[in-house]
Amino acid sequence: MSTENIKLLIDEYLKKYFESREGENKLIYEAMAYSLNIGGKRIRPMLMMLAYNLYKKDIKDILPMAAAIEMIHTYSLIHDDLPCMDNDDLRRGKPTNHKVFGDAIAVLAGDGLLNEAFSIMIDYSISKNSLEAMKASKVITDAAGGEGMIGGQVVDILYEGKEISEATLKYMHEKKTGELIKASIVAGATLGEASSKDIEILSEYGYKLGLAFQIKDDILDVLGSTEKLGKNVKSDENNNKTNFISVYGIEKSVELCKEITSQCIALLDRLNSDTSELKELTLELLHRES
Amino acid sequence: MSTENIKLLIDEYLKKYFESREGENKLIYEAMAYSLNIGGKRIRPMLMMLAYNLYKKDIKDILPMAAAIEMIHTYSLIHDDLPCMDNDDLRRGKPTNHKVFGDAIAVLAGDGLLNEAFSIMIDYSISKNSLEAMKASKVITDAAGGEGMIGGQVVDILYEGKEISEATLKYMHEKKTGELIKASIVAGATLGEASSKDIEILSEYGYKLGLAFQIKDDILDVLGSTEKLGKNVKSDENNNKTNFISVYGIEKSVELCKEITSQCIALLDRLNSDTSELKELTLELLHRES
């Protein structure tokens, strides 16, 4: 299946996910669905499904797990955008969650998405009675937690407006963005019952892809346009945040991003499966304009 | 084991839980540990362990699951206290999380505790390779989500300063407080491999206990002292919030609380196990002064 069609599959699944929820608490699902369905690139669920597809044919089987990782990603965006965090008004070309629903509901919508993701993963593990599903859930949970995404966000906050070393910058991004991207791939391969040798290679691929992804994000923050990005550019500069550009400069950052992407492709070449779709997505991420 | 000793066991486990975490992200664990260890009553983990103890002897076996539910409870308090939510400065006699660590870290500390709880539950389910553990995790996750605690909190926010019907008030408290209390008991019994008939009785007991607990909370909010409660009294009145007192008046609320507690005891009498410890805790909750 083409990456395009996989994205449509994910979009459709997520669009329907909260539709039938009714009751006095309905607003929370409206707020959760709002951020979940305003045009995300679906990179993490796509990576999971493509990694799974290296070993198993019917990728629809893991749609719930793919939806769960997108919910975790979305929750992190809602909380990151809050006035007490990055204070962003615009995300994917639309007003951020707290701009539409208010700060209190936005906090709860984030909480709700994180919780729903776990609910899905446990349900999935029970219904499949699968140790692989539980292990994949564990990989995702760890990547989202204090040693992953949340830990990276804390370091980001701690260093706001301060000098930051290259090592700390890498640490921060590895945790904040890299871990969940890597987890998408490792979880997909785990669900596909890949060998531990393959999982090791894909884990390194995921690590490097996450790094390239973040450098590209920083490049777009400087060179991209608000129109294409759907969020305000130069937000790092305006928030006094150190990023790859302020450490390496724009030219070296562009070069670095290309180099790491090549390393990603080389890692995929070490696998005995058809990795053409994963390679295509890897290159798309390098060349993206938003 | 006495309820006193069970509480000590939980306190000790939670106190040590984050102690060894080191690294640039250490602050998040400090913030998480701060709220986790400022003198909670440990009602939910105690209920879980006592319910488990009706069927299995070694209650220490489920300490991780008990810790997980206390982390979920604590995360909800941290987020509820935020300036954009209830804006409370005092909790358990100490400054609230955001007063100590700032709003951004408080949001992340809440996120981190929710995430850690899931990580613990998945780890526990994997290590025990136990379907019961997964089912118990599912019960807890559902109780914490949009159909549980988060849903109740949303309704609470929606009705702030507005007239509220008796039905909506009950719905709100059932979701906001009741579900997680009920889940503690049902999860404990599930982990103990109780029969479905027993789980049904304990589920009703848990529902009623949660209701009595909330009515008592509202009574204490009016009649208690800041000193004993460790949080500001009349916070509902000051926040224009409807509660059981504003609907029923103080006298009927006190009576209702006693009546529901009696129903709880009667439900426990229907079980064939020694329920003396659970009964003791039930009565303690009715007579508590904080």
Side-chain angles (χ1 to χ4, degrees):
Chain A
M1 200 182 279
S2 71
T3 53
E4 189 91 336
N5 282 336
I6 294 176
K7 185 176 178 297
L8 285 175
L9 214 60
I10 297 162
D11 279 340
E12 196 189 7
Y13 186 88
L14 291 175
K15 195 169 172 292
K16 283 185 183 157
Y17 190 84
F18 290 114
E19 264 181 9
S20 63
R21 307 279 176 109
E22 289 292 341
E24 294 225 46
N25 54 351
K26 199 184 171 182
L27 180 68
I28 193 63
Y29 298 117
E30 285 171 9
M32 286 154 82
Y34 172 79
S35 290
L36 197 58
N37 297 308
I38 46 168
K41 292 184 286 286
R42 314 303 191 198
I43 292 166
R44 291 154 195 82
M46 282 169 79
L47 285 170
M48 187 193 282
M49 291 173 90
L50 288 174
Y52 179 79
N53 202 205
L54 297 177
Y55 308 97
K56 304 273 177 187
K57 207 176 165 193
D58 198 353
I59 56 168
K60 282 186 192 171
D61 274 358
I62 62 157
L63 259 175
M65 295 294 285
I69 208 163
E70 186 69 5
M71 287 184 192
I72 292 178
H73 171 58
T74 306
Y75 118 78
S76 78
L77 299 182
I78 295 175
H79 281 189
D80 280 8
D81 287 338
L82 285 170
C84 67
M85 306 271 256
D86 288 353
N87 196 20
D88 274 321
D89 295 351
L90 211 57
R91 167 79 66 179
R92 294 167 179 166
K94 301 267 168 60
T96 45
N97 200 289
H98 66 272
K99 280 282 158 191
V100 179
F101 298 96
D103 296 1
I105 297 295
V107 170
L108 292 169
D111 296 345
L113 282 167
L114 178 60
N115 202 98
E116 190 74 27
F118 289 117
S119 181
I120 290 174
M121 293 193 289
I122 294 173
D123 254 351
Y124 188 85
S125 301
I126 291 175
S127 71
K128 301 271 176 189
N129 195 11
S130 149
L131 187 62
E132 275 74 29
M134 290 172 76
K135 281 184 184 167
S137 305
K138 175 69 181 152
V139 165
I140 294 167
T141 308
D142 285 348
E147 291 306 307
M149 202 167 61
I150 293 172
Q153 181 68 7
V154 167
V155 174
D156 195 6
I157 289 167
L158 282 176
Y159 280 96
E160 208 165 301
K162 289 182 191 158
E163 282 282 321
I164 187 169
S165 71
E166 197 181 319
T168 302
L169 180 71
K170 275 194 169 172
Y171 170 95
M172 180 187 93
H173 283 310
E174 187 189 328
K175 303 275 179 195
K176 193 177 164 181
T177 317
E179 288 287 349
L180 200 63
I181 287 181
K182 190 172 82 178
S184 311
I185 296 152
V186 172
T190 303
L191 288 165
E193 302 177 81
S195 69
S196 57
K197 188 178 150 262
D198 275 21
I199 288 180
E200 207 176 297
I201 293 169
L202 283 166
S203 176
E204 201 181 335
Y205 160 76
Y207 168 73
K208 286 184 185 288
L209 189 69
L211 192 61
F213 184 81
Q214 188 56 50
I215 298 172
K216 180 73 188 190
D217 241 22
D218 287 353
I219 294 169
L220 288 170
D221 190 49
V222 174
L223 298 185
S225 71
T226 300
E227 200 191 330
K228 278 189 180 155
L229 279 177
K231 61 182 178 182
N232 294 320
V233 291
K234 299 195 178 168
S235 62
D236 281 352
E237 200 179 315
N238 296 337
N239 281 337
N240 273 323
K241 279 194 182 174
T242 305
N243 61 25
F244 284 103
I245 313 302
S246 53
V247 170
Y248 295 120
I250 187 80
E251 225 168 294
K252 198 182 160 192
S253 295
V254 170
E255 203 178 301
L256 206 58
C257 193
K258 273 187 196 165
E259 192 185 305
I260 298 170
T261 302
S262 298
Q263 291 168 5
C264 285
I265 302 292
L267 280 162
L268 291 179
D269 279 333
R270 288 174 55 193
L271 298 171
N272 288 324
S273 315
D274 175 8
T275 56
S276 53
E277 299 282 2
L278 256 185
K279 279 183 193 163
E280 194 187 310
L281 184 61
T282 305
L283 292 172
E284 266 175 33
L285 292 180
L286 175 71
H287 297 302
R288 72 198 157 101
E289 289 185 6
S290 68
Chain B
M1 201 181 278
S2 69
T3 52
E4 189 89 338
N5 283 336
I6 294 175
K7 185 176 179 296
L8 285 175
L9 213 60
I10 297 161
D11 279 340
E12 196 189 7
Y13 186 88
L14 292 174
K15 194 168 174 291
K16 284 186 184 157
Y17 190 84
F18 290 113
E19 265 182 7
S20 61
R21 307 279 176 111
E22 290 291 341
E24 293 224 46
N25 55 352
K26 198 183 172 182
L27 180 69
I28 194 63
Y29 297 118
E30 285 171 8
M32 286 154 82
Y34 171 79
S35 289
L36 197 57
N37 297 308
I38 47 168
K41 292 186 285 288
R42 313 302 191 199
I43 292 167
R44 292 154 194 81
M46 281 170 79
L47 286 169
M48 187 192 282
M49 291 173 89
L50 288 174
Y52 179 79
N53 203 205
L54 297 177
Y55 307 97
K56 303 275 176 187
K57 208 175 164 194
D58 198 353
I59 56 170
K60 283 186 190 170
D61 273 358
I62 62 157
L63 259 175
M65 296 293 285
I69 208 162
E70 186 68 5
M71 286 183 193
I72 293 178
H73 172 58
T74 306
Y75 118 78
S76 77
L77 299 182
I78 295 175
H79 282 189
D80 281 7
D81 287 338
L82 286 169
C84 67
M85 304 273 255
D86 289 352
N87 195 21
D88 273 321
D89 296 350
L90 209 58
R91 168 77 68 181
R92 294 167 180 165
K94 301 265 169 62
T96 45
N97 200 288
H98 65 273
K99 280 283 157 188
V100 180
F101 297 96
D103 296 3
I105 296 295
V107 170
L108 292 170
D111 296 347
L113 282 168
L114 179 59
N115 203 98
E116 191 74 28
F118 289 117
S119 180
I120 289 174
M121 293 194 288
I122 294 173
D123 254 352
Y124 187 85
S125 301
I126 292 175
S127 71
K128 301 272 175 187
N129 194 12
S130 150
L131 188 63
E132 275 74 31
M134 290 172 78
K135 283 183 183 167
S137 304
K138 176 68 180 151
V139 165
I140 293 167
T141 308
D142 285 347
E147 291 305 308
M149 202 166 62
I150 293 171
Q153 181 67 7
V154 167
V155 175
D156 195 6
I157 288 167
L158 282 175
Y159 280 95
E160 208 165 300
K162 288 181 190 160
E163 281 283 319
I164 186 169
S165 70
E166 197 182 318
T168 303
L169 180 71
K170 274 194 171 171
Y171 171 95
M172 179 187 93
H173 283 311
E174 187 189 326
K175 302 275 180 196
K176 191 176 164 181
T177 318
E179 289 287 349
L180 200 63
I181 286 181
K182 190 172 83 178
S184 311
I185 296 152
V186 173
T190 303
L191 289 165
E193 301 177 82
S195 69
S196 57
K197 190 180 148 260
D198 274 20
I199 288 180
E200 208 177 296
I201 293 169
L202 283 166
S203 176
E204 202 182 335
Y205 160 77
Y207 167 73
K208 285 182 186 287
L209 188 69
L211 192 60
F213 183 81
Q214 188 56 50
I215 298 173
K216 181 72 188 190
D217 241 22
D218 287 354
I219 294 169
L220 287 171
D221 189 49
V222 174
L223 297 185
S225 71
T226 300
E227 200 191 331
K228 277 189 181 155
L229 279 176
K231 62 182 179 183
N232 293 322
V233 291
K234 300 196 176 164
S235 62
D236 280 353
E237 201 178 317
N238 297 337
N239 281 337
N240 272 323
K241 278 193 182 174
T242 305
N243 60 26
F244 284 103
I245 313 302
S246 53
V247 170
Y248 295 121
I250 185 80
E251 224 168 295
K252 199 183 160 192
S253 295
V254 170
E255 202 178 303
L256 207 58
C257 193
K258 273 185 196 165
E259 193 185 304
I260 298 169
T261 303
S262 298
Q263 291 170 5
C264 286
I265 302 292
L267 280 161
L268 292 179
D269 279 333
R270 288 174 55 193
L271 299 171
N272 287 324
S273 315
D274 175 8
T275 57
S276 53
E277 300 281 3
L278 257 186
K279 279 183 193 163
E280 193 187 309
L281 184 60
T282 306
L283 293 172
E284 265 174 33
L285 293 180
L286 175 70
H287 297 302
R288 74 199 156 100
E289 290 186 5
S290 70

